[in-house]
Amino acid sequence: MSDKDTLEKALKATNNGGLQQALDWLDKHANDADIDNPIDSSATAADAADGAAGDAAPASAEQPADDSQARSLVCNECGKQFNNEDQAQYHAVKSGHSDFAQSTEEVKPLTEEEKAQKVQELQDRIKQKRKAREAAEKAEQRQNELLRRKAGQDASEQQERMRDEQMKRDIENRRREKDQDKLAERKIKEQIEQDKRDRAARFAREKAERDGTAAPHEPKPVVVNTAQLQSVSSNSTQARLQIRPIVSEGDSPIQPITHVFDADQPLKDVFDFVKKEIPNVGHHFKLSTTFPRQEFSSHHVSKTLRELGLVPSAALILTK
């Protein structure tokens, strides 16, 4: 609201009782939080009644009265006079003065110059209050903006931390998979070499039996670090199995299949997986490891992959 609107609000609040009542109303309500809000007729009815009561004392001066009759209140601490108790109480709250007395003197009406000065003072006071409120609102807006930015920054940092943690987990999983692949590859190579030695020894033994000569000494088997394999097996929660079919579909061989199972899944899940991935393999097929040589049948389907030594990785041969 403009200063003109504020003055009009004061006049309406006092039922257009005159400039003096409007000035008194503004002086009383200058520090109200809603001084700039539009006038509320229902809320200001009491103020208008107070203003009318304040004018009753000067009007009574026209009637014959005793000179000792109280016509105003005076502050003994500063000497200021008031038309009614509301004005005196307001002055007490604002100034902290507490020494008041009744006076037989009437409150002198303001001159035009004093009225203009009072209007200017009230307008200046209202402007200062409005500026202070606007400054407080701007400060609150800046504070809210800082809080919003900080909340956004915290959320962004949290997302960044989550991405970093996920990246570390992915790197660790890839490293673990590489280690398991290397271990499985080493086991396969060792088994292939052992199979070659076993075939060579068997051929030599069969040849010696046919020729009637002494059989040559069989080479010592390759010693595998079983302690290391058992340690890896006990700590792993997954079983990475590579299934190599020694069967074909028509004229085309079936490519090896690699899949990661839970270490505590039963062997039956592996058989079911093979039936699903290779439909033409039928229901009668075998799975076996080459090193150590072990063939799995229906007696093993209820055992877990960990119990069968297929953790963390193994190569299975599929045959019919």
Side-chain angles (χ1 to χ4, degrees), residues 5-294:
D5 294 334
T6 304
L7 291 175
E8 291 180 356
K9 177 180 180 178
L11 289 171
K12 290 181 180 180
T14 56
N15 288 332
N16 293 320
L19 182 59
Q20 181 64 51
Q21 290 188 28
L23 292 175
D24 292 340
W25 187 90
L26 282 174
D27 190 34
K28 181 179 178 181
H29 297 279
N31 293 323
D32 291 354
D34 59 349
I35 187 63
D36 290 332
N37 295 341
I39 185 67
D40 184 355
S41 58
S42 62
T44 58
D47 290 333
D50 291 341
D55 290 343
S60 65
E62 298 177 359
Q63 301 176 0
D66 188 358
D67 292 339
S68 63
Q69 182 181 1
R71 291 182 172 85
S72 64
L73 295 172
V74 63
C75 177
N76 293 331
E77 298 184 32
C78 66
K80 188 173 182 180
Q81 287 182 301
F82 308 97
N83 284 327
N84 51 51
E85 290 185 4
D86 288 341
Q87 294 179 359
Q89 289 177 359
Y90 180 73
H91 174 74
V93 172
K94 298 294 293 184
S95 63
H97 298 169
S98 59
D99 187 6
F100 294 86
Q102 293 182 340
S103 174
T104 58
E105 297 181 3
E106 294 181 354
V107 177
K108 296 180 180 180
L110 298 176
T111 65
E112 294 300 325
E113 182 179 354
E114 289 174 338
K115 290 179 180 179
Q117 182 180 359
K118 191 171 183 64
V119 169
Q120 185 61 44
E121 290 177 355
L122 291 173
Q123 289 177 345
D124 292 342
R125 191 184 305 173
I126 292 172
K127 288 180 180 179
Q128 291 175 0
K129 182 175 177 59
R130 185 182 297 119
K131 289 181 179 179
R133 185 172 63 251
E134 291 175 353
E137 290 175 354
K138 289 182 179 179
E140 184 179 0
Q141 290 176 357
R142 287 195 297 269
Q143 182 65 21
N144 291 338
E145 179 64 17
L146 291 175
L147 293 175
R148 186 191 65 79
R149 292 182 181 180
K150 187 176 186 305
Q153 183 179 2
D154 293 344
S156 178
E157 292 177 354
Q158 177 67 16
Q159 292 177 355
E160 185 67 23
R161 285 194 296 270
M162 293 176 62
R163 284 195 295 268
D164 291 343
E165 292 174 358
Q166 183 62 42
M167 185 179 298
K168 291 179 181 178
R169 289 193 293 269
D170 292 341
I171 293 174
E172 178 63 22
N173 290 336
R174 287 196 294 270
R175 184 194 62 78
R176 187 182 300 111
E177 290 177 358
K178 288 182 179 179
D179 292 342
Q180 293 174 355
D181 290 342
K182 289 180 180 179
L183 180 61
E185 184 179 358
R186 184 170 68 249
K187 290 170 62 177
I188 292 173
K189 289 181 178 180
E190 292 173 351
Q191 182 60 44
I192 292 174
E193 294 298 324
Q194 183 64 35
D195 289 345
K196 290 180 178 179
R197 286 189 288 271
D198 291 343
R199 285 197 299 273
R202 185 172 64 255
F203 293 155
R205 189 167 53 251
E206 292 174 353
K207 184 176 184 301
E209 291 175 356
R210 289 195 300 271
D211 298 341
T213 58
H217 296 288
E218 294 185 359
K220 295 182 179 180
V222 177
V223 178
V224 180
N225 190 347
T226 57
Q228 179 183 4
L229 297 179
Q230 291 175 355
S231 175
V232 174
S233 175
S234 61
N235 294 330
S236 298
T237 59
Q238 295 178 333
R240 185 181 179 85
L241 302 183
Q242 186 180 63
I243 303 171
R244 297 174 176 269
I246 310 300
V247 295
S248 60
E249 294 180 339
D251 297 332
S252 302
I254 303 177
Q255 297 298 321
I257 303 173
T258 301
H259 188 73
V260 178
F261 295 88
D262 188 271
D264 296 318
Q265 283 185 255
L267 183 65
K268 180 180 181 299
D269 291 350
V270 180
F271 276 87
D272 293 340
F273 173 78
V274 172
K275 294 176 183 178
K276 179 180 178 182
E277 295 297 320
I278 311 176
N280 295 333
V281 74
H283 296 280
H284 303 288
F285 60 89
K286 299 178 182 178
L287 294 175
S288 61
T289 57
T290 55
F291 181 74
R293 181 69 178 177
Q294 186 177 7

